[in-house]
Amino acid sequence: MNLHAILRTGMLACLLGPAFAQPTPFPTIGQVLRVDPRLDKLIPVDAKVEVLASGFVWTEGPIWVKDQACLLFSDVPQNTIFKWTEKEGVTPFLKPSGYTGLGPYSEEPGSNGLTLDRQGRLIACEHGDRRVTAMLLNGTGGKRTLADNVNGKRFNSPNDVVAHSNGSYYFTDPPYGMPKKEKDPGKETDGWGVYRIGPERAGVPGTVSIVVSDLTRPNGVALSPDEKILYVAQSDPLRPVVMAYPLQADGAVGKGRVIFGADGMKKLGLDGGFDGMKVDRDGNLWVTGGNGVLVLSPTGECLGQIKIGVATANCAWGDDGSVLYITSDMYLCRIRTSTRGW
């Protein structure tokens, strides 16, 4: 029986149980493809991609919670945020996670991208409720809506978010969570934007402004280690690009530049768009795309790929900062690296 079959039968059975118990050692999947010798300094030669859990519908938005030594991640179609720990495996953390209405909404109603802000709150992009929220991890006080519209027009389906140390947030708003995607009659905004939520003042959420308006499918977002560059990954397979925008003092962005795109994918024999991404302490980008995670230098040179073999959504640094957790289709995976996230 192959790995797919083992995981879909054995681990899916675990998912139906109360505690999501996981076997150890974990099975492995995929391989590391080395394009540039510099990758050896980032990923050990003997590194393996471990499958920590399986049987999900579509995993997304992982974030490591250091003081609880756990990973939180979304299953968007299941409208659920799950929690994983080394000891307990996977358990449900929050349901509903992104849609609180009555009846069905869309194929992807739940939360997508997750992050933590400087207050330690869980920041979530919610497809069904079409908003970005903040919630204390101990569950007290419920959720707080940080933004659900721009100039009175509701968002489409906030997708991924990153928190700036000054208290602001940047997030993307493609149509993937809407019932009829880009053709949905409920669409209110023009195009698919990248937005900024300004810092809160006296407990009042900051002003919402659009910072990028010319992308066709903005998806993943990340900040450089010095927070001077905003990276945006585009999931449009007709124009797959990873963009870099200089951040200005007032939080707006300057003229963007392509640091990796279709030509780079073609050289690697890959196609499709990009999804989520993270940055390590040296400014290297770890971008999901091509059924895995591409590792790019700060200048956009491809150093290699963590090839998983199925559509890969997002990633996050965890443990001591050197472990990369990856949400990939039905899987939750990890790989140990020689670098650290920030």
Side-chain angles (χ1 to χ4, degrees), residues 24-283:
T24 54
F26 298 104
T28 61
I29 192 173
Q31 60 183 315
V32 177
L33 304 178
R34 299 174 187 271
V35 176
D36 188 295
R38 286 175 287 177
L39 188 69
D40 294 344
K41 296 182 179 180
L42 301 176
I43 302 178
V45 176
D46 60 350
K48 303 292 184 183
V49 180
E50 298 176 286
V51 178
L52 306 178
S54 185
F56 305 100
V57 182
W58 177 248
T59 56
E60 257 286 6
I63 186 68
W64 182 258
V65 183
K66 186 175 181 180
D67 60 358
Q68 297 184 26
C70 75
L71 187 83
L72 300 178
F73 63 98
S74 302
D75 187 325
V76 190
Q78 290 199 64
N79 197 15
T80 302
I81 292 175
F82 288 105
K83 175 182 178 180
W84 178 89
T85 67
E86 190 85 34
K87 181 179 180 180
E88 298 180 357
V90 177
T91 54
F93 177 78
L94 180 67
K95 183 179 178 70
S97 66
Y99 177 59
T100 55
L102 298 175
Y105 176 71
S106 74
E107 294 177 350
E108 297 187 5
S111 63
N112 193 317
L114 308 173
T115 194
L116 300 177
D117 68 4
R118 61 180 181 175
Q119 301 176 53
R121 300 180 302 180
L122 179 66
I123 309 301
C125 288
E126 301 188 3
H127 277 189
D129 287 345
R130 299 168 70 170
R131 61 181 180 169
V132 179
T133 61
M135 185 183 76
L136 294 173
L137 284 171
N138 62 11
T140 60
K143 291 181 181 179
R144 179 177 196 146
T145 298
L146 296 178
D148 61 8
N149 74 90
V150 57
N151 299 323
K153 296 181 179 180
R154 295 189 70 193
F155 299 126
N156 302 301
S157 51
N159 187 282
D160 199 12
V161 59
V162 64
H164 195 285
S165 62
N166 66 10
S168 62
Y169 310 88
Y170 293 87
F171 71 94
T172 57
D173 189 38
Y176 299 127
M178 303 184 81
K180 295 184 178 180
K181 308 295 191 293
E182 68 274 5
K183 297 180 181 180
D184 197 272
K187 182 182 185 302
E188 298 183 14
T189 61
D190 298 322
W192 324 105
V194 181
Y195 296 92
R196 176 180 186 265
I197 306 171
E200 295 179 48
R201 304 297 184 196
V204 178
T207 301
V208 178
S209 58
I210 188 165
V211 294
V212 180
S213 60
D214 60 352
L215 293 178
T216 52
R217 291 294 185 276
N219 201 309
V221 285
L223 290 167
S224 61
D226 61 7
E227 296 188 319
K228 293 182 178 181
I229 300 174
L230 176 71
Y231 296 105
V232 181
Q234 175 149 279
S235 52
D236 187 345
L238 299 179
R239 188 173 178 257
V241 290
V242 178
M243 300 292 297
Y245 299 90
L247 284 183
Q248 301 174 356
D250 63 356
V253 304
K255 182 177 177 57
R257 59 187 174 87
V258 177
I259 63 170
F260 193 78
D263 289 343
M265 292 288 276
K266 185 176 181 180
K267 289 180 181 178
L268 297 170
L270 302 175
D271 56 20
F274 303 105
D275 203 320
M277 60 180 162
K278 293 297 183 290
V279 180
D280 67 26
R281 62 184 177 183
D282 297 315

